[in-house]
Amino acid sequence: MRVGTVLVGTDLTERSDPAIVRGHQIAVASDARLVVCHVGPGHAGSHPLFPQHHQDDVVAASNLEQRIADAVSQRAAEITGRTSEQFDVVVDHGDVVAVLTEHAARLGADLIVVMADGSELEGGGTVTRDLARRSPCSVFAVGEGSGAGVAVVALEDEIETIPALVTAASTLLGSSPAKVEVILFVDDPRMSTSRITDRLTGQAAVMGITLVPWFAEVGDTSLVSRAVDDGALGLLVVAAPVPDDLTADSPSPLDDALSSIRSSVLLLRI
């Protein structure tokens, strides 16, 4: 996974600090540019009958935006040890997902890093879900689980992508995992899986790790849901194509799984 620019979303609370830390670590490991973004509510409204009020609102909003930018810069510097010249800050307004995806496209970002928003939060996982649907680049949702386990997800005819998924996991973790759970979607989990198992054994030998297969029928995301809710699982890697206009807002079988996350999830764009 090549990473040249990392875009991190923060809401300026302690909860989003781990996203900044992980974005910083990935940027250091990849010698990448780090951009920290805060998204606030919409811009100040207009006052057509009292234009001077609108001007006052614009000035007040500008001052507030500068204070927010300073706060973001100070917080990021404190928790990463970087100087303010070693990262960029973006402050914008509007829908969080729309703003993050817009800036990711503008910056040519390779990875968006955010905290996973579980169902106990207001909005019930909508940011993670909608970023998975719309983001033009890979998305790393940092979960609250602290386990060391790693899992990857692939379709039956995508077995050849598993080494790339494991490599991406290693990039985020900073080292190669000793064992990886492999969730494979197959047309019929009751059929003979010896061919698939043999192929995984060969891949495992080349990579020097253990691959443990789990088979699920296409459309059955119960294994994925169980994985993202497993505090012992540190990272789940899912490959997905870059969305287009027809699929960006379409429901996905993964929506339910992404609405309540404890483990961290990397959605790898292919």
Side-chain angles (χ1 to χ4, degrees), residues 132-187:
R133 289 181 181 179
R134 304 182 201 171
S135 171
C137 63
S138 298
V139 177
F140 181 32
V142 182
E144 297 175 352
S146 57
V150 176
V152 300
V153 179
L155 295 173
E156 179 182 355
D157 58 356
E158 294 177 345
I159 297 176
E160 298 302 327
T161 69
I162 290 174
L165 301 184
V166 174
T167 299
S170 301
T171 299
L172 294 190
L173 297 173
S175 61
S176 296
K179 181 178 76 171
V180 174
E181 311 279 344
V182 181
I183 300 175
L184 279 166
F185 289 109
V186 297
D187 289 331

Side-chain angles (χ1 to χ4, degrees), residues 6-258:
V6 179
L7 177 64
V8 181
T10 176
D11 60 3
L12 275 177
T13 67
E14 290 184 1
R15 187 180 182 279
S16 63
D17 286 351
I20 299 177
V21 172
R22 293 304 300 272
H24 157 69
Q25 293 170 340
I26 295 167
V28 169
S30 304
D31 193 24
R33 176 188 181 190
L34 177 65
V35 182
V36 183
C37 179
H38 174 80
V39 182
H43 288 286
S46 62
H47 299 273
L49 298 180
F50 305 97
Q52 70 277 13
H53 291 177
H54 174 63
Q55 182 62 32
D56 292 342
D57 286 348
V58 170
V59 172
S62 178
N63 292 336
L64 176 60
E65 185 170 303
Q66 184 58 54
R67 292 198 300 271
I68 293 174
D70 292 342
V72 171
S73 180
Q74 180 178 350
R75 194 175 194 98
E78 287 176 353
I79 62 179
T80 65
R82 291 175 178 247
T83 66
S84 58
E85 291 77 24
Q86 293 176 315
F87 61 92
D88 297 308
V89 172
V90 173
V91 176
D92 207 334
H93 308 266
D95 176 75
V96 173
V97 172
V99 171
L100 286 176
T101 54
E102 177 184 338
H103 284 290
R106 178 181 64 83
L107 295 166
D110 304 288
L111 184 67
I112 295 176
V113 182
V114 294
M115 290 302 297
D117 51 350
S119 58
E120 74 278 3
L121 299 177
E122 183 179 355
T126 56
V127 172
T128 306
R129 180 202 68 196
D130 290 348
L131 277 176
R133 289 181 181 179
R134 304 182 201 171
S135 171
C137 63
S138 298
V139 177
F140 181 32
V142 182
E144 297 175 352
S146 57
V150 176
V152 300
V153 179
L155 295 173
E156 179 182 355
D157 58 356
E158 294 177 345
I159 297 176
E160 298 302 327
T161 69
I162 290 174
L165 301 184
V166 174
T167 299
S170 301
T171 299
L172 294 190
L173 297 173
S175 61
S176 296
K179 181 178 76 171
V180 174
E181 311 279 344
V182 181
I183 300 175
L184 279 166
F185 289 109
V186 297
D187 289 331
D188 185 354
R190 294 168 298 182
M191 72 178 203
S192 172
T193 55
S194 59
R195 180 184 61 82
I196 297 175
T197 303
D198 289 344
R199 183 65 187 126
L200 291 178
T201 300
Q203 290 178 336
V206 172
M207 292 186 287
I209 63 173
T210 300
L211 295 177
V212 181
W214 296 88
F215 297 98
E217 190 171 357
V218 173
D220 177 9
T221 60
S222 59
L223 280 177
V224 177
S225 297
R226 196 179 311 156
V228 298
D229 193 40
D230 185 353
L233 186 66
L235 179 63
L236 177 73
V237 184
V238 182
V242 176
D244 55 33
D245 292 339
L246 295 177
T247 63
D249 293 316
S250 300
S252 162
L254 293 177
D255 284 353
D256 290 340
L258 294 175

